Amino acid sequence: MSGTNRQWQLGSRPVGMVKESDFDLVEAPRPEPAEGQILIRNLYFAFEPAMRGWLNDEKSYLPPVGIGEVMRASAVGQVVASRNPDFAEGDLVHGMFGWQEYCLSDTKPGAMGGVSRVPAGIEPQWVLGVLGGTGLTAYFGMLEIGQPKEGDVVVVSGAAGATGSIAAQIARIKGAAKVIGIAGGEEKCRWLTEEARLTTAIDYKKEDVRLRLKQECGDAINVYFDNVGGEILDAALVNMALFGRIALCGGISAYNEKELPPGPRHYMQLVIRRCTMQGFLLLDYFARAREAIDDLSGWIASGELAHAEDIQEGFENAPKTFRRLFEGKNLGKQLLKVADPV
Amino acid sequence: MSGTNRQWQLGSRPVGMVKESDFDLVEAPRPEPAEGQILIRNLYFAFEPAMRGWLNDEKSYLPPVGIGEVMRASAVGQVVASRNPDFAEGDLVHGMFGWQEYCLSDTKPGAMGGVSRVPAGIEPQWVLGVLGGTGLTAYFGMLEIGQPKEGDVVVVSGAAGATGSIAAQIARIKGAAKVIGIAGGEEKCRWLTEEARLTTAIDYKKEDVRLRLKQECGDAINVYFDNVGGEILDAALVNMALFGRIALCGGISAYNEKELPPGPRHYMQLVIRRCTMQGFLLLDYFARAREAIDDLSGWIASGELAHAEDIQEGFENAPKTFRRLFEGKNLGKQLLKVADPV
């Protein structure tokens, strides 16, 4: 096998809002697997807001993507050449294969090198969303950090996003009395109440979130699952119930700010209302992935869990598709289809 | 018994920094106890930063002090007239007796009405500090929320204050490997290392707290006990250990601001470092007061726990003494002696 391997490399560190021009489209030679290695052709890329943080030259839970390196990203792919007895041509696999057409892997676990099989009987792209990082983040974040109890009032921001949509529905499945999703735009809000069957959706683009939360559940939010930060986090803080729990999953409102914006002005409500605000990352729960996948698959099969994918197309559109997350365009999991399986 | 009862009443709601002129010195008639009541002569008033919050017309964990009402405050006093068989003249008692020379009480529990006896064998003013609200706040806040483990690195802000000084030492007593106190001024810092025997003290008036924390315990703070908020909370956030715990006790840096200042800019470190930030109030632990008082008394007796009181004098100085808290003048518990016991 020979030919080229197009890659999106990080060209420069974004300042403020990430731009398409921060990435360089490069043609590299297509690699050949050595003994023990496999060559994967990528089919779908997955996009998450947290990837924006990987572009900053800051110490975090993963090293930053280096200038000139292929952009780190989860992907589903198909084995097109194998010199590893555990993998055959045609196998569907997923892992951190990056924004490139082909990924060479020694199949050993690691931040960029691990390869997992796509289970039989599901759409391959599900392993990037509801049964992948975002679904599992929702699962452990809601159940381990949010800990909704029967009868609780649960609020989720970024509720039409890949993680928020699953987190909110898990609270419903676990018996929350009221689940309120905050999202931007009519279409997302309709999806939340009609498809995801939340109690209510608040459209932050048209409504005063603080006032609406007060009306819907003033002083009564037992669990707030936050994906956005900023004013919406403050709106939740002033409406928490005593001894409420805030599961901090993300803060997309600040990810593209040139300077770190002010934090939650009303954080002292944590004292007055005796609340807990706790951050978490999926990587601490990897060992329990099976449990989450079993539960999530079961809820999909029984019709209890709705999930949406926003699938764009074309390898050349990777940076543009990434920006959709920060433009609030995606409903559900943002994916980019870059090739068809053979 | 007849005569007058001088009172400090709230004259107007403070805007920004609390001023002496926000309170009115009023001469009321000295009340006479009816059947079942006692008359208490106040000996010491206690001052806490949280009292500033009671002056704002905002919903909180206690109703605001009303305009024209006696300023709410803990005090130690002596029974000077009793028509209640459970109390005799001369008994030393404490409770929320307010900024007035005499307090009439029906001795029934309640925010303003409860009366407790000063235990025999201790200085009466201790029940306002190390064995009172501030000591107990430190005890439950550090042990239940901070939960220091043997070998932990513990940082306390407002460490020379009544609560911080006790909280920091409890961490030392419980086996923390390193206890760092943040305070303002040389005298306080010397007291922290010499009397309270903390590992290190950081003088926020002279030193760069963020840099010093990085040097002393960068990425290694297991427990941060916060009394101040603002930049010092941010300095702690960027130096937390993975899975660290922040016990939110207070935020004195913001109490006298006209507008609520921005919150902790670095709160997303809670995610990256998977930390918990939890608020608490002593009132949730009242039922366990005995346990705290026994432990604290034992540590004082064994010489393990140092405590300091800053005792001002003169009833007319109540508002001025209150301001000392926000001027950072007090070392240890701020008290005002208003009368001698007979």
Side-chain angles (χ1 to χ4, degrees), chain A residues 76-222:
Chain A
V76 160
Q78 189 167 35
V79 178
V80 289
S82 175
R83 294 186 63 190
N84 182 313
D86 295 335
F87 292 88
E89 279 180 37
D91 285 357
L92 289 170
V93 292
H94 63 100
M96 281 283 186
F97 303 153
W99 286 359
Q100 53 186 344
E101 291 179 297
Y102 294 89
C103 175
L104 191 68
S105 172
D106 60 12
T107 78
K108 292 191 183 73
M112 287 294 278
V115 173
S116 304
R117 279 170 198 289
V118 176
I122 67 159
E123 295 291 325
Q125 65 270 29
W126 293 6
V127 300
L128 298 178
V130 61
L131 300 182
T134 36
L136 270 60
T137 296
Y139 182 90
F140 292 110
M142 182 53 80
L143 295 180
E144 296 293 320
I145 312 295
Q147 298 180 29
K149 284 159 196 54
E150 226 166 287
D152 271 0
V153 172
V154 177
V155 175
V156 177
S157 66
T163 299
S165 62
I166 306 303
Q169 292 180 84
I170 291 173
R172 164 173 55 69
I173 290 165
K174 290 296 181 178
K178 206 167 188 174
V179 183
I180 297 168
I182 304 170
E186 243 171 72
E187 184 199 357
K188 289 181 181 179
C189 287
R190 191 169 45 239
W191 187 88
L192 287 174
T193 51
E194 291 179 9
E195 302 294 321
R197 285 170 289 144
L198 307 192
T199 319
T200 312
I202 297 175
D203 182 349
Y204 75 83
K205 291 188 174 170
K206 274 175 53 182
E207 302 184 274
D208 178 332
V209 175
R210 184 165 167 173
L211 180 67
R212 289 280 285 120
L213 284 178
K214 189 175 176 184
Q215 291 165 344
E216 292 286 342
C217 50
D219 300 333
I221 303 174
N222 303 107

Side-chain angles (χ1 to χ4, degrees), chain B residues 205-284:
Chain B
K205 291 187 174 169
K206 274 175 52 181
E207 302 185 274
D208 178 332
V209 175
R210 183 164 168 174
L211 180 66
R212 288 280 285 120
L213 284 177
K214 188 175 177 182
Q215 290 164 344
E216 291 286 343
C217 51
D219 300 333
I221 304 174
N222 303 106
V223 178
Y224 174 56
F225 188 103
D226 191 30
N227 292 299
V228 306
E231 284 178 22
I232 293 181
L233 171 53
D234 267 318
L237 276 164
V238 298
N239 284 295
M240 294 299 292
L242 296 188
F243 307 104
R245 297 167 298 286
I246 296 178
L248 271 189
C249 179
I252 193 171
S253 69
Y255 290 171
N256 287 290
E257 296 290 334
K258 285 182 198 175
E259 305 240 323
L260 209 52
R265 202 171 285 276
H266 291 285
Y267 84 101
M268 281 293 290
Q269 294 294 321
L270 297 175
V271 177
I272 291 168
R273 297 165 194 261
R274 289 87 96 191
C275 292
T276 301
M277 183 154 86
Q278 187 171 0
F280 69 96
L281 289 174
L282 175 58
L283 61 84
D284 298 319

Side-chain angles (χ1 to χ4, degrees), chain A residues 26-39:
Chain A
V26 171
E27 238 174 61
R30 193 178 308 170
E32 305 266 348
E35 187 59 36
Q37 290 185 323
I38 60 174
L39 186 68

Side-chain angles (χ1 to χ4, degrees), chain A residues 16-28:
Chain A
M17 184 63 173
V18 62
K19 300 181 301 298
E20 293 177 53
S21 59
D22 295 324
F23 301 93
D24 294 330
L25 182 56
V26 171
E27 238 174 61

Side-chain angles (χ1 to χ4, degrees), chain A residues 238-268:
Chain A
V238 298
N239 284 296
M240 294 298 292
L242 296 188
F243 307 105
R245 298 169 298 286
I246 296 177
L248 270 189
C249 180
I252 194 171
S253 68
Y255 290 170
N256 286 289
E257 296 290 333
K258 285 182 199 176
E259 305 242 321
L260 208 51
R265 203 171 283 277
H266 291 286
Y267 84 102
M268 281 293 289

